[in-house]
């Protein structure tokens, strides 16, 4: 009775919080059942439990994976109207931008980027490239160019690929040439800076040969790393050869089984037809599949051919 009373007290004293609701919401979202996740979020608010950013992001993730465009927009507006510093977060905006991109909503994607800049959030390269692609596909190349030019002098390769694709799709060849010249100039400047840094490092290492132990191992012992990489490549090649050899052996075994399964019934049928089903001994068995023709049959054929027509 004491154990039962203790168990009842432990169950009744449990108070639900955000940590108990969030895993269940995430489980519903991972199954693609975002309506149940949203209903549980509302039930969480009715129980006077303040949902965290992770709870909202779990519901928004399920909506993004299910392409629930209207529900995702409403949830993002609900998060913004709560006047909380932690809502929405950077990941919430990234999920919303992905939802807009999946539904080809270029205006929604640009709006999400604008809100992120107002809240001093930095969108990642996947979000930026996705919004640029959607703007290019919607014939809004001016907006795509504005987003790309706002990245500065050294944009990442994802955005560069997206803007070049958008400009080629909209046949803006002058912009393509302009961005290509900018890309080549930035790459040449980066290569010159790398060459200057490598020469400076080489001079420093040659001048301070006595303090070479202070250099990192990747710079002081390049030969060891090269030998290790060659060894790994050699081991990988030998393993591939062994796998290829084993696969060829398996193929040969399968072919032999297949042809033996076809040839053996034919040989048994042949023996039954020519030898009356009698099993031949090893001495009398002929290596030929079909027996050689007898001399009498040759003679009869010659006589038939030599006999004059009647």
């Amino acid at each position: 009775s004491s154990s039962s009373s203790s168990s009842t007290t432990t169950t009744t004293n449990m108070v639900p919080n955000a940590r108990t609701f969030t895993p269940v919401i995430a489980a519903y979202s991972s199954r693609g059942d975002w309506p149940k996740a949203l209903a549980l979020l509302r039930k969480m608010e009715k129980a006077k439990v303040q949902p965290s950013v992770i709870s909202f992001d779990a519901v928004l993730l399920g909506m993004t994976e299910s392409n629930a465009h209207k529900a995702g927009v409403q949830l993002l507006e609900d998060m913004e109207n709560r006047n909380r510093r932690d809502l929405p977060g950077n990941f919430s905006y990234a999920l919303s931008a992905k939802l807009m991109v999946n539904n080809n909503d270029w205006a929604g994607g640009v709006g999400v980027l604008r809100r992120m800049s107002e809240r001093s959030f930095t969108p990642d390269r996947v979000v930026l490239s996705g919004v640029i692609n959607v703007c290019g596909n919607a014939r809004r190349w001016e907006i795509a160019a504005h987003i790309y030019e706002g990245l500065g002098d050294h944009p990442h390769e994802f955005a560069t690929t997206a803007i070049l694709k958008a400009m080629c799709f909209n046949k803006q060849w002058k912009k393509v040439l302009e961005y290509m010249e900018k890309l080549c100039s930035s790459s040449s400047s980066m290569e010159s800076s790398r060459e200057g840094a490598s020469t400076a490092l080489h001079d420093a290492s040659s001048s301070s040969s006595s303090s070479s132990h202070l250099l990192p191992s990747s710079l002081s012992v390049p030969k060891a790393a090269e030998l290790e990489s060659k060894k790994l490549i050699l081991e990988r090649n030998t393993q591939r050869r062994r796998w290829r050899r084993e696969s060829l052996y398996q193929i040969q075994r399968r072919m032999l089984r297949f042809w033996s399964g076809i040839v053996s019934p034919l040989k048994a049928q042949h023996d039954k037809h020519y030898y009356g089903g009698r099993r031949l001994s090893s001495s009398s068995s002929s290596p030929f599949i079909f027996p050689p023709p007898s001399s009498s049959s040759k003679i009869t054929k010659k006589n038939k051919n030599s006999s004059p027509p009647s």
Side-chain angles (χ1 to χ4, degrees):
S1 62
S2 61
S3 62
S4 62
S5 62
S6 62
S7 63
T8 54
T9 53
T10 53
T11 54
T12 54
N13 290 333
M14 286 184 64
V15 178
N17 53 12
R19 292 185 178 180
T20 56
F21 277 101
T22 304
V24 185
I25 293 172
Y28 280 127
S29 297
S30 63
R31 289 175 54 188
D33 197 356
W34 63 267
K36 286 187 178 180
L38 184 61
L40 190 59
L41 184 68
R42 302 308 181 199
K43 186 178 180 181
M44 182 178 178
E45 293 174 350
K46 288 180 181 179
K48 297 182 179 180
V49 178
Q50 186 177 10
S52 61
V53 190
I54 303 173
S55 306
F56 281 101
D57 289 347
V59 180
L60 196 57
L61 180 62
M63 293 177 179
T64 305
E65 291 178 352
S66 301
N67 286 331
H69 182 247
K70 292 182 180 179
V73 172
Q74 291 176 1
L75 184 61
L76 184 64
E77 291 177 355
D78 185 18
M79 293 168 70
E80 289 177 345
N81 293 331
R82 290 177 180 269
N83 295 324
R84 285 172 53 180
R85 289 185 178 180
D86 56 343
L87 286 179
N90 196 0
F91 187 62
S92 308
Y93 280 118
L95 288 174
S96 302
K98 185 180 178 182
L99 182 61
M100 305 302 171
V101 169
N102 292 340
N103 289 275
N104 296 322
D105 187 4
W106 66 270
V110 173
V112 169
L113 291 182
R114 190 180 296 113
R115 294 173 191 174
M116 291 182 77
S117 64
E118 289 174 358
R119 289 177 172 260
S120 66
F121 287 135
T122 56
D124 58 353
R125 54 187 183 179
V126 179
V127 171
L128 280 172
S129 61
V131 174
I132 290 172
N133 274 324
V134 170
C135 291
N137 294 334
R139 305 289 183 180
R140 305 288 178 174
W141 61 270
E142 300 94 345
I143 300 174
H146 179 71
I147 294 170
Y148 178 74
E149 290 169 2
L151 297 177
D153 296 330
H154 300 289
H156 48 78
E157 56 184 2
F158 281 72
T160 305
T161 306
I163 193 63
L164 290 175
K165 183 179 177 182
M167 293 302 151
C168 290
F169 181 75
N170 291 277
K171 298 181 181 180
Q172 299 296 323
W173 311 118
K174 291 183 180 179
K175 283 286 186 181
V176 172
L177 293 175
E178 180 185 345
Y179 292 145
M180 288 298 294
E181 289 176 359
K182 182 180 177 181
L183 182 64
C184 293
S185 62
S186 63
S187 62
S188 62
S189 62
M190 288 177 66
E191 286 178 359
S192 62
S193 62
R194 285 176 184 173
E195 288 176 0
S198 63
T199 53
L201 182 62
H202 184 268
D203 295 338
S205 61
S206 60
S207 62
S208 60
S209 59
S210 60
S211 62
S212 62
H213 63 280
L214 299 177
L215 292 173
S217 59
S218 60
L219 295 177
S220 59
V221 195
K223 292 183 179 179
E226 187 178 357
L227 290 173
E228 187 176 358
S229 64
K230 287 183 178 179
K231 185 178 178 182
L232 289 173
I233 291 170
L234 184 62
E235 289 178 356
R236 194 182 298 116
N237 290 336
T238 53
Q239 190 176 9
R240 286 177 180 173
R241 288 196 202 97
R242 188 175 68 250
W243 288 345
R244 195 178 296 115
R245 206 180 301 120
E246 290 177 357
S247 61
L248 286 173
Y249 178 70
Q250 299 264 345
I251 290 169
Q252 289 176 358
R253 289 282 302 271
R254 289 177 183 174
M255 288 179 68
L256 284 174
R257 285 180 199 157
F258 176 73
W259 287 113
S260 63
I262 291 177
V263 170
S264 56
L266 291 176
K267 190 174 183 301
Q269 187 178 2
H270 167 265
D271 292 345
K272 184 178 180 181
H273 178 70
Y274 281 94
Y275 302 108
R278 290 181 288 105
R279 183 173 292 179
L280 300 175
S281 61
S282 60
S283 59
S284 62
S285 61
S286 175
F288 301 100
I289 296 177
F290 295 99
S294 60
S295 58
S296 60
S297 62
K298 289 182 181 179
I299 292 169
T300 53
K301 284 181 181 179
K302 284 182 180 180
N303 294 332
K304 285 180 181 180
N305 293 330
S306 58
S307 59
S310 58

